[in-house]
Amino acid sequence: MSMTIDPILGVFMNKTVMATIAAMFAVIGMALAAPASAAPKSEPGVGPLHAPCGTAGQNLENRVHADAPASGAVNQRSGTRAVSSTDCVIVGVLQPTDDARYWCWTLGNDGFTWTYLENLRTHVRGWSRDNLLDDFGSNKQCTL
C-alpha cells in the first residue's frame, strides 16, 4: 500500500483516501459554482424588459390580491425605468388595506422586479416594486 504525506494536513494518507477527498472537494466546488436553479420570476428564452416612464403593462394575469402591500403604503409609479425610485412619477398609493388587480411584471433598471397593477379602491394603475407587495406581485411577465 503506497502512503504519502499530505502537505496541508501533514498526515499520512493512502491514494484511495486522497482520491476520495479530492472528489468530494470537486463535487462541493461544482455545487457552489452552479447558478441557482429556481430563479424567481423568469421565463425561458424571454428577458424581462424595463418599462419607460408612462408605459402601461398588459393585463396578462388579472388576479386580485387582498391587502396587497406587505407593510405600510406602496407607491404606484408611471414606469420602472428608475435607477433611483424617484425617476418615474408617483401616480397613486396602495394603502395597507387596498386590494390590487395584478396585470404583469417586468424588471426595472434598479434590479428589482415591478408589477403593473390596479388599485381596486381608487382604480389607479401603475408600477409597484414586487418586494413591497405581500405576495411579491404578478406571476406573468409583461411583453413590453
Side-chain angles (χ1 to χ4, degrees), residues 63-68 94 98-102 117-120:
R63 177 171 56 99
V64 174
H65 184 77
D67 303 333
L94 280 170
D98 285 346
D99 300 342
R101 182 179 315 279
Y102 295 160
L117 55 83
E118 177 184 2
N119 182 327
L120 296 181

Side-chain angles (χ1 to χ4, degrees), residues 12-142:
F12 286 99
M13 298 180 8
N14 68 33
K15 289 183 179 178
T16 305
V17 171
M18 287 180 14
T20 303
I21 291 172
M24 288 174 26
F25 278 112
V27 168
I28 291 169
M30 287 187 293
L32 293 175
S37 61
K41 295 201 172 189
S42 64
E43 294 182 13
V46 180
L49 302 172
H50 309 299
C53 298
T55 303
Q58 304 87 15
N59 192 352
L60 301 176
E61 186 168 351
N62 200 31
R63 177 171 56 99
V64 174
H65 184 77
D67 303 333
S71 175
V74 175
N75 290 333
Q76 292 175 271
R77 296 197 174 268
S78 65
T80 66
R81 175 170 264 182
V83 172
S84 69
S85 61
T86 58
D87 286 353
C88 294
V89 299
I90 296 172
V91 294
V93 177
L94 280 170
Q95 296 299 324
T97 58
D98 285 346
D99 300 342
R101 182 179 315 279
Y102 295 160
W103 289 31
C104 62
W105 70 271
T106 194
L107 180 66
N109 284 358
D110 58 0
F112 288 95
T113 56
W114 295 68
T115 289
Y116 190 78
L117 55 83
E118 177 184 2
N119 182 327
L120 296 181
R121 178 180 56 84
T122 64
H123 302 288
V124 171
R125 296 176 186 160
W127 295 95
S128 295
R129 225 169 66 184
D130 288 341
N131 66 317
L132 302 175
L133 299 172
D134 184 45
D135 63 347
F136 303 103
S138 177
N139 296 321
K140 300 290 184 181
Q141 185 178 353
C142 300

